[in-house]
Each structure stands twice: as C-alpha cells, then as structure tokens.
C-alpha cells in the first residue's frame, strides 16, 4: 500500500489516471452529473491518498486507512458510514475486479468526500443516461452502489478507458452555533450576590475517581495545595450529598456525560464548604476518559447553573411571564443532547416533581414484550441498568405497563414491580410512555412510605410523560441508528478476521477477542466434538488477564450449559450461583466458621474477585453450523450488570459467523490430519541397516501440506543378504499421484519377496497400473537388488524403466551412468525389460535421483544431468549422508524460488576397506 497526505492547498481535482477522461455517468435517480460534482464553495482543506494491492487483506487495510484519516480530521460522526462504504467499494475492486484500488479522501468544511477507483480494463462503459439496474441485496456483489444511495449525502460514478471511479460525499451533522441563552438587562439590586472575586475551582478526575489536577482557585477555596490532593479519590473530600434530594452517588455522577448540582467539600480546616458543581465527561486523544468539575461557592451558583430558557415570541405565557411549554417546564433548558443525559434528567425531574425517594425509566424492546432499565435515581442503578422486566407482569390491575398504575403499598402486592424488590420502597406510581399509540417505555416514581401517591399524582406524571415521550423516542432511535451502523462495521471486521484463518485454536482466540471487551466483560467458548460428546471448555478470556485462571477453574467445576439449538441468547445462572457459593464458603473459612483455612489452597482475594467477575448476567448463545450444534459462546458481566438487547442481537449475529468459521476450521483440521496420516503411510517407516553399505535418503514433497507426492523411494530386505531398493516418479503431484505411489511401493515389496526378478517385478507392476483405468498414471522407476559381498564390494542388479539414470562415482572422481534407459511403466501392455549388473567397489557411490532434481530451473537455466554430474564429482571421499546433503544443497541454491516438483535422493556408498 502506498499513501500520501497533503494538508491544505487550493481545491484541485484528483490527477487523472487515464489518457482521456469521459463524462461522468449519473447513478440511477440522480440525472446527468457535471464533470466536477463538488460544490464550488466547498474548499478542500486536506487530502489523503492510498493505493492497495489486489489481495484480500487490502480490504481491511483500506478500512483502517479511512478510519484513521477521518478520526485524525475529527470527523468521528461519519466514520462508521465511511468505513462500511469503503469496504464494499474496495472489495469490488480488489476481489471481484481483481485490480489494485486507489482511495482518495478529501476534507472540506462541511464533510468528507471519498473516491475509490479500480483499473479493470474490460469493463463495459454505460451510455450516458442509460438505465442502471441495481442488483438484488441478496447477491454477493453489487451492493456498493446501493449502500452509497442509502448512506451517502451525494454519490456518483466516473468512467475512463482505464478505470472506474466511485465517489461518495458524507456531510457532517448540523451543530447549533451562536447564542444558547440570554437574559434581560436587570437593575444591579436584582443581580445574584457574589464575593469581590469569584473563584472557580477546576478539578479533573481520572477514570478511577482520583484527582488528577487541582487549580489555584481550588487551593484558595478549600485550603489544600495541589500536591496534597493529587492522586486521592474525590470521595475523600466530598460530603455527599450536601443538599437534600440529591440521591445520585458521586461515583455515578462522575460517570455521567453531564451532571449539575450541589454538594459539600471538606476544607483543610475540617469545615464542609457548600459548593455548586458542573461536571462534564471528556476523553483525551488516546481515548482515556476523565471528568472535568467546575466548582463555585453554593451562593454563587448563578455563575455555573444552567438558566431556564426564556419563552419564545409565539409561546403562550402565564400572567407572571413564566414559560408554559410543558416539556421545557418539566425537563429544563437546554435539554440534554444525548439519550442517557435526557433519561437521567427525566427521572430526576420526575422524582422532584412528586417529592419521591427514587425514580426510574424503562424503554421497551422492539417487540414490546420487555422493558429495559435505562435510567434511575435513588436506586442502585449500577445493579439495575439494562435489567429487563416483562411488560405484562404481576397480579390484578397493577399487571400491565401499558396503563398508569398506583401502588399504595408494595408489601400488600408482592412482585407487582419487580424492579423495586428488595429496595425498601413501599408506594409507587408508574405511567406509560407512548408514541402514536405504541408503548415506548415506562416512567415510575417511588417512596419509602406507604399510601403516598393517588390518582392525582398519576395524572400529573402521565401529563409529563406524554410531553417527553416523543423526545425520548427520537433520541432512542438516533442512538439505535448509531449502534446499528457501528454494529455493521463491527460485523464486517469480524467476518474478515474469521475468514482469514482455518486454524481451530486461532479461530477460538479470535471469537473471544472480538467479544471482550466490545460485547462482554468475559467470555467462554465450549466446543462439541460430535453428537455423542459432552461440551468441552475450550477457551476463556476476561478483560483483566489476572482473572482468567480463576474463571476457568470455576467453570471447570460446574456442568456446562445444555447444547440447545434454539437461536438467541438465554440466561445461564450457574456461574453466578457457583461463584457466590464459593465466595461464601471462602469467607466463612476465613472467619473460622467452616473448614480449617489450612485446607484452602487459595486466599479470599482471588475467590472474591472471581465471584465479582462472573456475578452479573451470563448468557449462552448456541454455535450452530450445518444444522448441528458445535459449541456454545458464553458471555458474562460482572456483579449486578446486565446486557442490553442491542448487544445481545449483535452477539447473535457474531455467533452465526463464528460458528461457521469454527466448523470450517474443524473440517480443515480433520482432513489435514487424515491426509497427513495417509501420506505418512506411503513412505517406509525406517530404513534397514545393511552391513557393509551406507545408505542415505532425502525426500521433499512439493506443495503446502503435502508430505508425500508423486516421487517415492523404498529400501527393504528381500531375504537374507539380499535387499531391494527403488526410486520412482509418478506423473503429477498431490493425492492422485500419491495413490499410485502407494500401489507401486507395496507391489514392489510383495512381488520381490515372492522371488520374482527385477524385470518380472516391473512387468507385473505395469499391468497393475494399467488395471487402474482412468486413474492410472505413467511411472518412471529405477528398481534394483543389492548383494553385499564378503570382499567389501556390493553387487547390484538394476532395471531403469524411463527414470533418470543412476550415477556411479568412483574413488578416482570419475562419474558414469550405472544403467541403460528402458521404457517407462503405465503406457504399454507388453514390456520387455532386462536387468543390468553393476559392482560397486569399496569407496564407490551410487546416486539415484528423481527428475525434480535434474529439472530444477532458474529462468531459462536448468540443472540437468550435466549439472548433477559436476556436483557429484566433488563428492569423492564423502559419506553417503554427506553426498546426499551436498546434492540437495546444490539443488536448493540453483534457484531462489521454492521447488515446484517433488524431489527424492537415494545415495548408497560402499565404504573403503579398513587397514590393520
């Protein structure tokens, strides 16, 4: 990949890639487009370009390039759409068109334009104005333009004789600018009171809740120097809450995107100083979150407090001039611009409006069968967030969330509001949130005392709920759309990663790494070998590596989940229950109430940490591939946390892709193991020891994953003092050639031990090969019999049927062929073969090779028989092993490319006579 970045500059068109530019063709529904589709007022402020090779991995690289470029420009709002569109268009270029892809990113004030060009030379150029038919979304290709039409602000296609260029424009969302609020000019006597110098303490809190920075005004207000408080938790200084009715805890407030309210700070002199605070959650360029807190004295709160928005010119007003817009009165102004902030403000206002002790808001799932807790105040929100309750629950008139309900005393109606079980709340009023008659949520306010609410409070709360329902639903749909676009980008990345490996262990690791921490805090993968096998715990991952061993130990002690093929996530309570029991036993032993602590192998710390890690909601998703459950994907949350419905739906999509990838890896592993086992059976297990003769064999099969190909060798005892040897080459490589290899090797042994001589053995083998019919392949074979002699020499009888001739190296360095060529096997029915006798004197070497050695090529050069002879002449005095190694080294060095043919080398040497 090649890239270039050019910040700034005047607006220019990308440089042409062809010799002549044709007019751009209009996409369907857009009409003819001019040569330059960018508005003339759009100034290019930066550009980045990259080229990608026509290989599959380039798609992921292109996605990363576009994501990094747009994030670097601060265009995070359009990153997900840009990545999805780029992925489709680059896939069309490098995968379907099979050409390189050029990607150009152009930044302007109002958004970004991205151009993707391929170089397909035979593409048909459509006529101007010709109708273009979009392909079906179910087809493998052709979705790129449909996605452009769905997601881009503008898009188009350019054709030249050498390339096709698809471009799309993504505009930045409009942001409000200018004055947010303004107030009238007031007499000085009506202005808020403040000290002579207003001090605003600026305190930054890191993600752990500790103070990271402390300015000079904070030192003056509270009496602490910065070095005294830096690194300490804010809870050590905050008197929380200072004002009655502030039920949100400080830890929760610091996690909210925005928060505003009163509390106290303990000064250096021990007194509590009332302050008014405005919190804003931010993150640095590295993604690290922190909270910036602005603090003033409570009586100076007007400096920070968000003012109420004044009435619009056409808004109805009461006689005292107050705004009568019900939504503005209830929610405050300005309204939070994010869903979580809006929901949190809603529950706080509802609680204050009815003078309650707690409030909660639930949103309905898409099918309206369940409600999901999204905001609460006065309740353990960390425990309740994303918990789900059924829409229809409980007895009597309190059983439906679709109607307003007043609960005078929850003790009289147990389970009427499952969310409040065990919270101490006695009375509660709940009202539905509806948009166009459809249930979208439920809002409730509860109090610790009984009989606090009546129908009058229910009507007041329902009136407020009706005013905010549309705003909440609009914000929810906006969040859902962002989540779905992010999910699409996530699934594209996941599919690409899973398709890139056929290794089972790597696939398991990828499955876990894609879910943690994006979808869950921890996960476990169970696999099932076959229908008769029990699920096996294959992989465990937690975002904190120190907890992995504890979770793995806990899961190994409980029964695995049932392999139910029903799609969707189902809750699995066993891990949380087992962790709770283990933690309870450990705590009792540590207090001396159970078994002696000396019998406990691990301390209380790891056990309690493990219990907390798996104490939340745990769900199981089946891994179904080819109509069979091959495993389960288990996702978990820490104590009292729940999964939101959108995350579970995304996990279900991921599990389907992961199951198919895992099954493909399993099939590939099984077939590879079978292939390797069969291939190993085609080679002799061991070479026999021959008294008085050194033997060495080197074998190399061509092709990845092949241990045996079309070349083969053998050396075996025929009877006492007589040995058979063979080296052959079946036409072709791979499994088909290996099948003939096995036939030849086993037939040679059987016929030779039956007492047949060399010519008879080969003639019968020739008939057996021809009997294979269409599966037969011709075979070159050198076969011989070896008789070691008492005088130290060795007698050989050889038949060379179409094979490269064996070479004999004498002690004086001369090399000569040791046989004559004869017809190869597997071609003619009637063969008349004869054998030749060769005597190897002490110190002589017989070298036998296959044509993969002699036909080793580098460009137009070939090693050949002469090259092999030249190498062999340098081997005088070497052992058989050294001769074979030198030949193989010379073959490998002859060319830089990997061998494309099988190779076999058989060297036999008669050692020289030992002198007394």
């Amino acid at each position: 990949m090649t890239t270039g970045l050019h910040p700034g500059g005047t607006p220019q068109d990308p440089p042409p890639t062809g010799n002549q530019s044709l007019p751009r063709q209009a996409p369907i529904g857009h009409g003819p487009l001019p040569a330059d589709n960018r508005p003339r007022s759009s100034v290019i402020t930066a550009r980045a370009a990259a080229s990608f090779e026509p290989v599959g991995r380039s798609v992921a690289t292109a996605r990363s390039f576009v994501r990094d470029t747009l994030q670097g420009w601060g265009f995070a709002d359009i990153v997900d759409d840009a990545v999805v569109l780029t992925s489709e268009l680059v896939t069309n270029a490098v995968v379907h068109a099979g050409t390189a892809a050029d990607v150009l990113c152009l930044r302007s004030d109002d958004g970004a334009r991205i151009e993707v060009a391929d170089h397909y030379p035979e593409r048909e150029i459509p006529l101007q104005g010709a109708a273009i038919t979009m392909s079906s979304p179910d087809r493998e290709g052709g979705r790129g333009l449909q996605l452009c039409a769905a997601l881009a602000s503008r898009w188009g296609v350019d054709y030249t004789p050498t390339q096709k260029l698809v471009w799309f424009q993504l505009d930045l969302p409009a942001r409000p600018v200018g004055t947010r609020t303004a107030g009238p000019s007031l007499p000085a006597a009506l202005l808020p009171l403040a000290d002579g110098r207003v001090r605003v303490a600026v305190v930054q809190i890191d993600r752990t809740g500790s103070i990271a920075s402390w300015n000079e005004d904070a030192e003056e207000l509270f009496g602490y120097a910065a070095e005294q408080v830096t690194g300490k938790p804010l809870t050590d200084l905050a008197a929380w809450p200072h004002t009655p009715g502030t039920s949100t805890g400080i830890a929760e407030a610091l996690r909210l995107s925005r928060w505003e309210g009163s509390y106290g700070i303990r000064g250096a002199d021990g007194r509590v100083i009332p302050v008014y605070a405005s919190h804003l959650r931010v993150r640095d360029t590295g993604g690290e979150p922190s909270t910036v807190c602005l603090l003033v004295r409570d009586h100076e709160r007007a400096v920070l407090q968000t003012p109420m928005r004044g009435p619009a010119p056409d808004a109805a007003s009461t006689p005292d001039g107050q705004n009568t817009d019900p939504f503005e009165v209830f929610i405050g102004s300005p309204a939070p611009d994010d869903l979580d902030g809006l929901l949190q403000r809603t529950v706080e206002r509802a609680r204050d409006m009815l003078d309650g002790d707690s409030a909660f808001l639930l949103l309905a799932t898409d099918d309206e069968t369940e409600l999901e807790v999204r905001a609460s105040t006065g309740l353990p929100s960390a425990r309740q967030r994303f918990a789900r309750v059924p829409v229809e629950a409980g007895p009597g008139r309190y059983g439906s969330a679709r109607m307003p309900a007043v609960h005078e005393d929850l003790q009289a109606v147990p389970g009427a509001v499952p969310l409040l079980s065990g919270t101490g709340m006695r009375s509660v009023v709940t009202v539905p949130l509806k948009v166009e008659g459809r249930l979208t949520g439920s809002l409730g306010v509860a109090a610790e005392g009984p009989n606090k609410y009546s129908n009058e409070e229910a009507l007041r709360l329902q009136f407020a709920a009706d005013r905010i329902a549309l705003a909440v639903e609009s914000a929810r749909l906006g969040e859902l759309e962002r989540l779905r676009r992010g999910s699409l980008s996530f699934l594209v990345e996941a599919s690409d990663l899973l398709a890139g490996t056929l290794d089972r262990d790597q696939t398991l690791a990828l499955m876990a790494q894609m879910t943690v921490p994006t979808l869950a805090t921890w996960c476990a993968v169970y696999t099932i070998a076959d229908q008769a096998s029990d699920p096996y715990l294959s992989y465990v991952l937690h975002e904190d590596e120190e907890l992995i061993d504890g979770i793995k130990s806990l899961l190994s002690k409980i029964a695995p989940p049932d392999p139910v093929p029903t799609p969707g996530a189902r809750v699995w309570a066993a891990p949380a229950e087992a962790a709770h029991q283990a933690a309870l036993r450990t705590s009792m032993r540590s207090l001396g109430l159970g078994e002696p602590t000396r019998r406990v192998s691990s301390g209380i710390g790891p056990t309690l940490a493990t219990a907390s890690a798996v104490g939340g909601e745990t769900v199981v998703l089946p891994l179904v591939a080819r109509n069979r459950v091959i495993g389960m994907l288990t996702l978990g949350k820490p104590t009292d946390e729940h999964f939101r419905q959108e995350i579970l739906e995304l996990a279900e999509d991921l599990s389907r892709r992961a199951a198919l990838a895992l099954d493909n890896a399993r099939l590939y592993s099984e077939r590879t193991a079978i292939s390797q086992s069969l291939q190993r059976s085609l080679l002799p297990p061991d070479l026999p020891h021959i008294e008085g003769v050194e033997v060495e064999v080197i074998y190399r099969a061509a092709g990845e994953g092949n241990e045996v190909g079309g070349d083969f060798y053998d050396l075996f005892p025929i009877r006492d003092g007589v040995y058979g040897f063979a080296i052959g080459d079946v036409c072709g490589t791979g499994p088909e050639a290996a099948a003939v290899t096995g036939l030849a090797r086993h037939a040679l042994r059987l016929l030779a031990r039956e007492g047949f001589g060399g010519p008879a053995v080969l003639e019968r083998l020739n008939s057996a090969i021809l009997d294979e019919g269409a599966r037969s392949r011709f075979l070159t074979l050198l076969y011989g019999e070896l008789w070691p002699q008492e005088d130290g020499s060795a007698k050989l009888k050889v038949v060379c049927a179409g094979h490269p001739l064996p070479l004999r190296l004498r002690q004086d360095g001369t090399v000569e062929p040791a046989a004559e060529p004869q017809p190869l096997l597997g071609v003619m029915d009637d063969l008349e073969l004869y054998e030749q006798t060769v005597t190897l004197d002490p110190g002589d070497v017989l070298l036998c090779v296959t044509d993969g050695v002699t036909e080793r090529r580098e460009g137009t050069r070939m090693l050949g028989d002469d090259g092999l002879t030249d190498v062999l002449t340098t081997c005088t005095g070497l052992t058989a092993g050294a001769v074979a190694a030198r030949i193989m080294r010379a073959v490998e060095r002859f060319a830089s490319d990997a061998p494309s043919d099988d190779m076999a080398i058989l060297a036999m040497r008669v050692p020289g006579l030992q002198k007394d």
Side-chain angles (χ1 to χ4, degrees), residues 146 155 181 188 272 381 449 571 594 690 724 812 832 871 892:
Q146 288 181 307
W155 64 282
T181 60
V272 175
S381 58
V571 177
I690 303 177
D812 59 3
E832 294 185 1
V871 177
E892 291 174 343

Side-chain angles (χ1 to χ4, degrees), residues 114-320:
I114 297 176
E115 301 177 352
V116 179
D118 63 32
H119 302 276
Y120 190 43
E122 299 177 358
R123 184 181 307 278
E124 179 183 356
I125 301 178
L127 298 176
Q128 178 76 21
I132 301 174
T133 303
M134 291 289 188
S135 61
S136 168
D138 298 329
R139 291 183 54 188
E140 177 63 25
R143 294 190 297 262
L145 298 184
Q146 288 181 307
L147 283 176
C148 286
L151 301 180
S153 304
R154 295 182 298 279
W155 64 282
V157 184
D158 294 348
Y159 288 93
T160 73
T162 59
Q163 72 168 12
K164 184 189 79 169
L165 183 146
V166 181
W167 62 270
F168 59 89
Q169 172 84 23
L170 294 173
D171 293 338
L172 293 174
R175 295 185 175 88
V177 296
T179 302
R180 295 294 299 274
T181 60
S185 299
L186 296 176
L190 298 180
L191 296 176
L193 289 174
D195 291 345
R197 181 175 185 271
V198 176
R199 298 188 180 276
V200 180
V202 180
V203 183
Q204 192 158 4
I205 311 299
D206 62 22
R207 70 185 308 165
T208 65
S210 300
I211 298 172
S213 65
W214 183 268
N215 73 341
E216 294 180 358
D217 280 0
E219 295 181 9
E220 291 294 331
L221 284 175
F222 309 122
Y224 298 103
E227 56 269 15
Q228 292 179 277
V229 295
T230 301
K232 291 184 177 180
L234 182 61
T235 51
D236 290 354
L237 304 180
W240 192 280
H242 172 64
T243 38
T246 307
S247 302
T248 302
I250 185 170
E252 299 169 0
L254 291 174
R255 285 197 297 267
L256 297 176
S257 60
R258 292 178 182 272
W259 187 88
E260 196 173 308
S262 300
Y263 52 90
I265 295 290
R266 292 186 181 89
D269 57 3
R271 293 185 300 108
V272 175
I273 303 171
V275 298
Y276 190 83
S278 176
H279 296 177
L280 176 66
R281 189 77 162 161
V282 298
R283 61 186 176 93
D284 59 21
T285 55
E288 188 71 15
S290 61
T291 301
V292 177
C293 306
L294 304 181
L295 312 174
V296 296
R297 295 180 180 91
D298 191 58
H299 65 273
E300 298 171 341
R301 64 168 56 200
V303 176
L304 297 180
Q305 188 172 24
T306 302
M308 297 291 290
R309 181 182 299 169
D314 58 348
S317 300
T318 58
D320 57 1

Side-chain angles (χ1 to χ4, degrees), residues 686-707:
D686 296 301
L687 294 177
H689 173 72
I690 303 177
E691 189 69 30
V693 178
E694 298 174 1
V695 179
E696 181 66 25
V697 174
I698 296 179
Y699 185 85
R700 297 284 190 275
E704 183 180 357
N706 290 333
E707 296 188 18

